[in-house]
Amino acid sequence: MNITRNNVDALNAVVTVEVAKNDYAEKVEKVLADYRKNASIPGFRKGAVPMSLIQKQYGKAVLLEEVNKLLQDNLNKYLVEEKLDILGNPLPKVTEDFNWDLEDYKFEFELGLAPEFTVDLAAKNDLVQYKIVADDKMLNDQVARIQKQYGKLIAKDTVEEGNDVSGIFANEEKGINNRTTLSLDTFADKKTAKAFIGKKVGDVVTLKTKGLFDDDHKLMDVLAIGHDDVHGLDIEVTFTIDEVVGHELANLDQELFDKLFGPKVITSVAELKAKIKEDAEQQFKQQADQKFLNDVTESLIATTKFDLPASFLKKWIQTAGENPMTPEQAEEEYTRSENGLRYQLIEGKVMAENNLQITFEDLKSYTTEVIKKQMAQFGQMKPTDEDVQGIVARVMSNQDEVKRLSEQVMNEKMLNLFKDKVKAKSKEVSYDEFIKAMYGELKH
């Protein structure tokens, strides 16, 4: 068997595989001999069927199968030995007048080659690494929410200051009809809150959406409309009150602190705020890290320039799935998946150049921490090591879970690498400012 390669260009190649009779003849004869031993054909004893009849009945199918096995085995071996980094799978070139009656065959396969490129993690960019702080306003608001949550609810007929109102926002023209609950202090203008004072269940309040809240994303939530629809929205909506609730606030005393965190863990309002700040900023860190990872990913895709064998990939996409695609469908799929493919290549190079690998111990350690956090959420603060490792063993015996956790471990390794290597400005922001940055509304 002879295999040769013609590099069409830097991203495309054609591999020619020449198969001679002596490459497959012995295997075909052995398979046909086995067929002959077991063949049951009327008029012949088992094992005594003439080989010519076996050859006539099964010869072509066996030939095709054995030649195909040879092709696959030797082509894969060739790709490994030549260290060819290919995209997709080799595509056989269709030969209209291919003749299986010959004894020697020639097959051609198209290859899409992975591009050569460099990744500069330290390149100049406009990336920002956010540190979200729980400011005094957030802490005070959270303490107030705790007092309301653990206080007593009092049903009211008439709206008074400090009450919550539930009802339906509606605007027929815009298709808005959404039930929500509001605290009167969430409105941007105190005049809006005053419009509710004295209203009763069943009353309707008409409001203008423009400037209704300090943050348009709050408007997006209460009206149940999309992010693109909410900006600049300047319409009238009605709010039909269907429930009014007053609150008798819980006292900020030891009884409440113990109920929240256990006996004597927190003993003052200052310690309560410190605990809220610690917990909130830990959650904020995860959100900030995810945004940084996403931003670096997008930046690398945009700035790491290389060509792809697009024509080859579109042809490959047509045949890669369970159901063949039309050229038009393949074009659409390629457009959707191109950035994902580019990042896969970038990520692979970054991992190789920085020797990022996942060991069994990495995976086990990460899974152990995940399990402990989940158990803590259900009140098991001090589980035994035996219990934890028992769950870890069960999780790691599930291949789908191992794949999912492995991706999370690698994301964590990539994030730490990016924090170390990627040049980014540090910016301390409140959570509200971070949300605006998420939607591109906060200047760096």
Side-chain angles (χ1 to χ4, degrees):
M1 182 175 292
N2 185 39
I3 302 180
T4 56
R5 181 174 83 252
N6 173 39
N7 288 332
V8 178
D9 54 38
L11 298 173
N12 296 275
V14 175
V15 169
T16 302
V17 183
E18 297 178 81
V19 180
K21 183 178 181 179
N22 61 5
D23 293 321
Y24 63 81
E26 186 177 338
K27 291 184 175 66
V28 170
E29 288 172 8
K30 183 179 184 306
V31 173
L32 291 176
D34 290 339
Y35 274 34
R36 185 183 182 213
K37 289 177 187 176
N38 299 304
S40 296
I41 297 178
F44 298 95
R45 297 192 317 274
K46 187 174 182 179
V49 180
M51 180 57 81
S52 59
L53 193 57
I54 297 293
Q55 175 69 42
K56 183 177 180 181
Q57 189 163 348
Y58 301 108
K60 182 62 68 69
V62 171
L63 172 66
L64 266 63
E65 184 177 355
E66 292 304 315
V67 169
N68 188 55
K69 285 180 183 176
L70 274 173
L71 279 174
Q72 297 302 321
D73 291 346
N74 285 278
L75 183 57
N76 289 336
K77 184 179 177 184
Y78 173 82
L79 296 176
V80 172
E81 289 176 346
E82 293 293 310
K83 297 179 180 177
L84 290 178
D85 191 3
I86 67 170
L87 302 179
N89 292 316
L91 283 178
K93 293 186 75 173
V94 177
T95 305
E96 297 295 339
D97 57 350
F98 193 86
N99 187 357
W100 281 102
D101 292 329
L102 300 176
E103 294 184 337
D104 297 335
Y105 309 107
K106 182 185 289 186
F107 303 91
E108 291 185 326
F109 295 87
E110 295 179 70
L111 302 182
L113 305 177
E116 292 290 334
F117 60 93
T118 58
V119 181
D120 185 3
L121 295 180
K124 186 178 179 181
N125 58 63
D126 60 354
L127 294 172
V128 176
Q129 189 172 351
Y130 292 99
K131 180 184 179 184
I132 310 170
V133 295
D135 56 13
D136 288 342
K137 180 181 181 301
M138 171 174 278
L139 297 179
N140 291 332
D141 288 348
Q142 185 60 27
V143 169
R145 276 193 288 271
I146 289 172
Q147 285 185 276
K148 286 176 70 173
Q149 181 181 349
Y150 288 89
K152 293 178 182 178
L153 298 179
I154 305 168
K156 298 274 190 176
D157 293 322
T158 304
V159 181
E160 300 173 359
E161 282 195 31
N163 290 169
D164 291 349
V165 290
S166 296
I168 296 174
F169 272 113
N171 178 292
E172 188 174 350
E173 183 184 349
K174 293 290 185 180
I176 296 169
N177 191 286
N178 187 57
R179 189 179 192 279
T180 189
T181 298
L182 296 167
S183 295
L184 296 185
D185 59 5
T186 59
F187 295 113
D189 189 344
K190 290 182 179 179
K191 290 181 182 178
T192 305
K194 286 182 179 178
F196 282 83
I197 303 301
K199 299 295 183 183
K200 299 179 181 296
V201 171
D203 285 350
V204 178
V205 181
T206 300
L207 303 166
K208 283 190 171 292
T209 56
K210 187 175 182 180
L212 191 58
F213 302 104
D214 287 332
D215 183 358
D216 278 346
H217 299 101
K218 176 67 175 176
L219 184 64
M220 181 175 73
D221 291 339
V222 301
L223 299 184
I225 59 177
H227 182 266
D228 292 338
D229 297 324
V230 77
H231 288 295
L233 186 66
D234 188 5
I235 61 173
E236 283 191 344
V237 290
T238 59
F239 186 88
T240 304
I241 302 170
D242 62 22
E243 188 178 11
V244 181
V245 175
H247 297 270
E248 183 180 314
L249 299 182
N251 292 324
L252 294 173
D253 55 19
Q254 195 60 49
E255 182 181 352
L256 177 61
F257 301 152
D258 291 349
K259 189 180 294 185
L260 291 170
F261 300 106
K264 303 298 183 182
V265 175
I266 299 294
T267 60
S268 67
V269 174
E271 289 181 6
L272 173 63
K273 288 184 177 181
K275 178 63 175 170
I276 293 171
K277 183 178 177 69
E278 178 188 350
D279 291 346
E281 290 182 354
Q282 183 58 41
Q283 292 182 15
F284 294 161
K285 182 178 181 299
Q286 294 173 8
Q287 294 181 53
D289 282 349
Q290 187 60 54
K291 175 168 173 54
F292 184 62
L293 184 61
N294 293 344
D295 289 348
V296 173
T297 298
E298 290 178 10
S299 176
L300 288 175
I301 291 172
T303 59
T304 307
K305 302 297 184 183
F306 54 82
D307 292 325
L308 290 170
S311 296
F312 168 85
L313 289 170
K314 290 170 190 175
K315 279 199 288 186
W316 173 70
I317 287 170
Q318 283 185 252
T319 62
E322 290 183 13
N323 300 313
M325 289 186 181
T326 65
E328 293 75 20
Q329 289 172 326
E331 179 80 37
E332 290 178 9
E333 179 61 28
Y334 178 76
T335 300
R336 278 195 300 268
S337 59
E338 182 182 357
N339 277 350
L341 174 58
R342 287 182 177 277
Y343 187 66
Q344 282 182 14
L345 293 170
I346 293 168
E347 183 182 49
K349 181 170 278 288
V350 170
M351 287 165 59
E353 290 179 350
N354 293 277
N355 196 30
L356 294 187
Q357 299 175 349
I358 299 175
T359 65
F360 176 78
E361 285 306 315
D362 288 336
L363 191 56
K364 184 179 178 183
S365 176
Y366 181 82
T367 305
T368 299
E369 289 307 308
V370 169
I371 297 301
K372 284 182 177 178
K373 287 177 183 176
Q374 290 176 346
M375 294 177 81
Q377 288 175 354
F378 290 97
Q380 293 178 265
M381 306 305 293
K382 294 182 179 179
T384 66
D385 188 59
E386 184 179 356
D387 286 343
V388 172
Q389 293 310 316
I391 299 173
V392 169
R394 286 198 296 276
V395 170
M396 293 183 67
S397 67
N398 184 315
Q399 288 189 346
D400 290 338
E401 282 296 304
V402 168
K403 181 181 178 183
R404 183 179 66 83
L405 290 164
S406 295
E407 289 173 354
Q408 292 176 2
V409 172
M410 184 51 71
N411 277 346
E412 199 171 83
K413 286 178 177 283
M414 291 291 283
L415 174 64
N416 290 333
L417 178 72
F418 290 158
K419 285 182 175 180
D420 182 47
K421 302 262 186 169
V422 174
K423 293 179 179 177
K425 290 184 289 185
S426 296
K427 188 176 183 69
E428 195 171 279
V429 293
S430 68
Y431 186 69
D432 287 342
E433 290 172 325
F434 176 74
I435 293 300
K436 290 179 180 178
M438 283 281 287
Y439 292 100
E441 298 160 17
L442 181 68
K443 293 181 179 180
H444 294 167

